Amino acid sequence: MKGPDSLLYEVKKKLDIGPPPVQLLDTLDLDGIVNFIKAGKCKNIITMVGAGISTSAGIPDFRSPVTGLYDNLEKYHLPYPEAMFDLEYFQKNPEPFFSLAKEIWPGIFKPTPCHYFIKMLHNKGLLLRHYTQNIDTLEIQSGLDPEKLVEAHGSFRTAHCLVCKKEYSKEVMEDKVLAGVIPRCEIPECNGIIKPDIVFFGDTLPKKFAECVEEDFGKCDLLIIMGTSLVVQPFASLSHRVPTNTPRLYINLEKTGTEGVSFSFIFFKGGFKFNDKDNYRDVFWQGTCDEGCFTLTEKLGWKEELTRVVKEGHAKIYKEMSLLKSKNVRFQKVKGAENRRGNLGKTHTDSGTTTPKSKGK
């Protein structure tokens, strides 16, 4: 009887059956990627991003030491950092999440040059799809077509009551969140907590995620990954779903995704091979996402266009941001909000404030 190691070898051997991979890049560096794009060899680029593309906008990532979100949650008195996005904990105590939501509410921050670079790829007819782990909606603010966007972990754009499932708009949620009030269902007999449609631990991923993954990755002819540590599954495994010969560019402050053994690594033929002798498609550029995008566009001859697009985009949304910030200030001055039911920072003991788990969770 075969042991686990020999079985693993047989599985990997069978998966590797087929013609040897072909190197499509002239060189395994940023210049090789640039030449590949300039030669018109890619028309179906997929971009995958994480919190690193939004840090220059002032939104912290999750795992960076000292500055990361998980290292700065003491004021919320959580039992553990991940409780901030734990569905079961949220149903018992939604106050910490909505306090954080008030600080990072969409519209307070401007899209980064990286967001506008992705929009440029779409404008040039090169973007097949953009996959993001972020919930900040900065892609929408940059003007990216929602059809091209897959928000793998959801977003603040819509919300639903956890009990009756009634849908609410971002605008309805905005007034309540910025006023420091826990949003509750408007149906009197319900009064359930309204949760933004972002994916918590214990939630299922959006339907669009699974549908687009199945449709897109077999077509991808260039994969660009930026600002993610590739830790959270199943998002991290997407980098292995592209065709065997498809080049992969990874822009990040540090290399990840090169080691470890898991089902996804075995089934999708391993991690990145940046430093391996048999590397034929993987390119790593070390630095911030904005620096990487500016360097790439400079080599492509697009830098002036990107600079102009960023300037025009920021000017366009500046007035909207000013209005939202002034609304936030006004809400903070409303004394009566402290007496409204569900006010943040208060502990309620009445039975109406505890929402039971919704069915199916």
Side-chain angles (χ1 to χ4, degrees):
M1 185 174 180
K2 294 182 179 180
D5 290 341
S6 59
L7 179 61
L8 180 62
Y9 172 80
E10 290 297 326
V11 171
K12 292 183 69 177
K13 183 178 178 182
K14 287 185 178 182
L15 289 173
D16 288 337
I17 292 176
V22 177
Q23 179 171 325
L24 301 180
L25 300 177
D26 297 336
T27 54
L28 295 174
D29 53 21
L30 202 60
D31 288 332
I33 296 291
V34 169
N35 292 336
F36 188 69
I37 296 174
K38 281 185 172 180
K41 295 181 179 178
C42 54
K43 299 292 185 182
N44 291 299
I45 297 175
I46 288 179
T47 50
M48 290 174 52
V49 304
I53 75 164
S54 296
T55 52
S56 65
I59 303 173
D61 63 12
F62 285 86
R63 294 177 173 80
S64 291
V66 182
T67 61
L69 180 63
Y70 284 155
D71 272 5
N72 291 275
L73 295 177
E74 295 87 355
K75 62 183 177 180
Y76 300 110
H77 306 294
L78 300 170
Y80 49 92
E82 291 80 4
M84 180 63 76
F85 300 102
D86 184 282
L87 183 59
E88 185 174 354
Y89 182 81
F90 174 82
Q91 290 175 317
K92 295 176 181 177
N93 182 19
E95 295 175 7
F97 171 78
F98 283 115
S99 293
L100 175 65
K102 184 177 179 180
E103 296 180 20
I104 63 172
W105 192 258
I108 296 175
F109 303 95
K110 298 192 296 286
T112 68
C114 190
H115 291 98
Y116 288 107
F117 167 71
I118 295 163
K119 172 68 161 50
M120 280 179 57
L121 290 178
H122 172 48
N123 291 346
K124 294 178 182 295
L126 300 176
L127 184 69
L128 174 60
R129 202 87 64 184
H130 172 63
Y131 288 76
T132 179
Q133 297 176 89
N134 302 334
I135 59 175
D136 51 38
T137 72
L138 290 181
E139 287 89 357
I140 295 296
Q141 282 190 269
S142 74
L144 183 65
D145 183 351
E147 177 61 29
K148 291 291 182 179
L149 174 64
V150 174
E151 295 166 312
H153 296 161
S155 77
F156 285 101
R157 287 194 290 152
T158 56
H160 285 80
C161 171
L162 287 177
V163 178
C164 72
K165 308 304 180 184
K166 175 178 171 60
E167 181 173 321
Y168 290 88
S169 67
K170 171 178 170 288
E171 289 69 30
V172 171
M173 291 287 288
E174 185 172 284
D175 286 349
K176 295 180 182 294
V177 172
L178 294 184
V181 177
I182 294 177
R184 290 191 172 274
C185 188
E186 296 173 351
I187 300 176
E189 59 270 25
C190 179
N191 195 42
I193 299 172
I194 305 172
K195 172 184 166 293
D197 291 338
I198 64 175
V199 178
F200 279 27
F201 298 111
D203 273 331
T204 56
L205 297 185
K207 183 180 179 182
K208 184 178 180 180
F209 175 81
E211 292 175 345
C212 289
V213 166
E214 194 68 28
E215 176 184 343
D216 293 344
F217 277 80
K219 304 174 186 176
C220 177
D221 47 27
L222 174 62
L223 179 65
I224 301 178
I225 305 169
M226 298 181 283
T228 172
S229 57
L230 294 173
V231 170
V232 179
Q233 296 291 357
F235 190 90
S237 66
L238 297 184
S239 61
H240 315 308
R241 284 182 173 264
V242 297
T244 305
N245 295 327
T246 297
R248 303 184 295 188
L249 169 63
Y250 185 27
I251 298 174
N252 202 42
L253 289 174
E254 59 182 4
K255 292 180 183 178
T256 61
T258 58
E259 298 177 354
V261 177
S262 66
F263 177 78
S264 63
F265 272 66
I266 296 167
F267 191 80
F268 297 113
K269 304 184 180 179
F272 296 117
K273 299 179 178 293
F274 302 122
N275 301 322
D276 293 2
K277 292 181 180 179
D278 59 347
N279 181 22
Y280 64 95
R281 63 169 176 168
D282 293 333
V283 175
F284 177 68
W285 190 92
Q286 187 167 23
T288 69
C289 297
D290 289 346
E291 291 170 344
C293 289
F294 274 121
T295 301
L296 182 58
T297 53
E298 183 174 25
K299 291 176 177 290
L300 286 166
W302 303 349
K303 186 176 181 179
E304 288 187 9
E305 181 181 356
L306 177 59
T307 302
R308 175 179 54 79
V309 169
V310 171
K311 185 177 180 180
E312 291 175 352
H314 284 180
K316 182 178 180 181
I317 67 176
Y318 180 76
K319 292 182 179 179
E320 298 174 6
M321 289 179 59
S322 299
L323 290 172
L324 186 61
K325 287 182 178 179
S326 64
K327 180 191 289 188
N328 196 357
V329 170
R330 290 199 306 274
F331 278 134
Q332 290 177 12
K333 293 180 179 179
V334 176
K335 301 297 183 181
E338 293 182 353
N339 298 320
R340 294 174 62 181
R341 186 179 187 186
N343 184 55
L344 294 177
K346 287 190 175 183
T347 302
H348 296 278
T349 57
D350 60 296
S351 59
T353 60
T354 301
T355 304
K357 281 189 177 182
S358 55
K359 295 180 181 180
K361 296 298 182 185

